[in-house]
Amino acid sequence: MADAKVIPFGEEPRSRRKGPRQGRAHRAQGPLKPVPQQRDEERDQQRPEAAATAASVPPPPPQGRPGGAGGPGGGWERRLAHGLSFLRRRITGEYEVDDFGYDEDLTDQVLMSLLRPMYEKYFRIEVKGIDNIPDSGGALVVANHSGVLPLDGLMLQVAVHDHHPAGRHLRLLAADLVFMLPVVNELARKLGHTLACSEDAQLLLERGEVVGVMPEGFKGIGKPFSERYKLQRFGRGGFVSTALRAGAPIVPCSIVGAEEIYPMIGNAKTLARLLGFPYFPITPTFPWLGPLGGVPLPTKWTIQFGEPIPTDGYPPEAADDPMLMFNLTDQVRETIQHTLYKLLVQRRSVFF
């Protein structure tokens, strides 16, 4: 088969381009007409009227470039080209998966595209302080956890992926229950999630990755609606020890809006024990409406990243100092809690 010639999108053929000579020839056509002389007084009187007339005329609508995003069909052509290129890479195996199972190509092209409509249109998430995540090197993002289902973790990933100026990816630490579910296990690995253990977290930080952890765990995501935005216990400070060993900064993160997507008014503990779940939520819509009860409420979210807390100035033995870990853990927790209260005061409405 002969080699095909690749023509980049948005580039016009040479025959359709207008060079400088063609433009001068066009201007030279036809005799030049003399410009009539005007008196200075008449010219001064006409200038304000001409300026007002020119200001009242609306500018012409922008013309899309052929094959570009503004031109007819430019958007779907590019999407089709990206889709075909993605399929070719999947068929030929020209993509990489790291030793944790993270598939960056699948995440960028498919999984983020599936999560983005919920992020932009449904929850209408506003991101603040994204520049507090460093452009390079390892960093540990510590956030509050809520919402019955871990949608806040997924939305946090989209926020970092789409808004960070350096285009960084967030690698979340997930509970072991996530990796016990058949389909969820594979999707979590492809998205870059890994088991919430110190060894995996430290290895990712030493590789220069941005790692996300939600220390509240099931205590935060399964707390009743009456305790919304009240942080639960942050464990034993294992995330602080991991950050100290890797010398990575800790970035506190506060998420407002996730608490109201599933208002948990009850917990069927017996049923949860039979199913092997940490809790079985009862909300105003679930289980009464069946599958419709699983649709989250369209609340308005805000995600704010706080000032990073450096850890590279401590000696190596500081990671084994329980008092230091307690103080840093309490500092991170208080920072997140204070920011939550501040965002709640600024919020106009749960849904707007």
Side-chain angles (χ1 to χ4, degrees):
M1 179 181 297
D3 295 337
K5 182 180 180 181
V6 179
I7 300 177
F9 289 121
E11 182 174 345
E12 297 186 27
R14 295 175 181 264
S15 60
R16 294 173 58 184
R17 298 177 182 172
K18 179 185 290 187
R21 293 183 179 178
Q22 184 178 355
R24 287 196 294 268
H26 177 74
R27 289 194 296 269
Q29 292 176 0
L32 296 177
K33 297 181 180 181
V35 180
Q37 298 293 331
Q38 291 182 345
R39 291 179 301 178
D40 294 341
E41 294 81 7
E42 295 176 354
R43 196 160 28 205
D44 294 337
Q45 293 177 0
Q46 290 178 359
R47 279 177 182 174
E49 298 178 359
T53 305
S56 63
V57 176
Q63 300 295 328
R65 292 176 296 178
W76 70 263
E77 287 181 353
R78 294 194 175 186
R79 287 194 294 267
L80 179 60
H82 284 303
L84 293 177
S85 177
F86 172 75
L87 290 177
R88 179 186 59 80
R89 291 194 301 271
R90 306 310 293 190
I91 294 174
T92 58
E94 298 178 8
Y95 60 93
E96 296 181 359
V97 178
D98 68 6
D99 48 352
F100 291 96
Y102 174 49
D103 191 336
E104 183 176 351
D105 188 44
L106 181 67
T107 298
D108 291 343
Q109 302 298 329
V110 178
L111 299 181
M112 285 295 164
S113 299
L114 296 176
L115 294 173
R116 195 168 290 118
M118 179 178 291
Y119 175 93
E120 295 179 348
K121 306 298 182 181
Y122 199 77
F123 294 133
R124 296 145 294 145
I125 299 178
E126 179 184 2
V127 179
K128 300 179 180 179
I130 190 68
D131 294 336
N132 287 321
I133 299 178
D135 293 342
S136 61
L140 184 65
V141 177
V142 183
N144 59 305
H145 206 13
S146 62
V148 176
L149 294 180
L151 295 180
D152 52 356
L154 298 177
M155 298 299 103
L156 186 61
Q157 276 192 285
V158 180
V160 176
H161 181 276
D162 287 1
H163 295 280
H164 195 275
R168 307 211 64 180
H169 297 75
L170 181 66
R171 307 289 297 272
L172 280 177
L173 303 180
D176 52 358
L177 178 62
V178 173
F179 302 102
M180 295 172 59
L181 303 175
V183 179
V184 177
N185 174 26
E186 293 296 327
L187 291 177
R189 290 290 185 185
K190 298 294 184 182
L191 270 168
H193 299 183
T194 187
L195 190 64
C197 63
S198 301
E199 293 78 10
D200 289 355
Q202 183 175 348
L203 182 58
L204 288 172
L205 289 174
E206 291 174 350
R207 290 183 181 181
E209 299 282 355
V210 180
V211 180
V213 62
M214 296 176 167
E216 291 178 281
F218 291 122
K219 300 187 301 293
I221 197 174
K223 63 177 176 286
F225 188 68
S226 59
E227 299 181 11
R228 59 191 180 278
Y229 298 114
K230 296 179 181 179
L231 294 182
Q232 305 299 303
R233 185 171 174 266
F234 267 24
R236 300 177 181 178
F239 69 92
V240 173
S241 176
T242 302
L244 287 171
R245 295 181 190 279
I250 301 174
V251 181
C253 178
S254 303
I255 304 174
V256 167
E259 292 275 14
E260 294 90 358
I261 59 174
Y262 296 111
M264 185 171 168
I265 58 177
N267 181 13
K269 297 182 179 180
T270 303
L271 188 56
R273 194 178 303 111
L274 292 175
L275 297 175
F277 295 156
Y279 55 88
F280 189 88
I282 298 177
T283 72
T285 58
F286 183 83
W288 326 114
L289 299 182
L292 289 178
V295 178
L297 297 179
T299 58
K300 177 74 169 60
W301 289 29
T302 301
I303 299 178
Q304 178 162 340
F305 298 91
E307 292 286 340
I309 301 173
T311 62
D312 53 354
Y314 295 95
E317 60 271 13
D320 299 321
D321 186 352
M323 185 58 65
L324 177 61
M325 285 192 296
F326 174 80
N327 291 335
L328 287 177
T329 302
D330 189 61
Q331 179 183 354
V332 175
R333 187 179 182 278
E334 289 299 321
T335 300
I336 297 175
Q337 184 69 82
H338 177 73
T339 306
L340 287 175
Y341 289 149
K342 181 180 178 180
L343 292 175
L344 289 172
V345 171
Q346 297 174 352
R347 184 170 66 168
R348 297 178 302 171
S349 170
V350 175
F351 300 99
F352 304 102

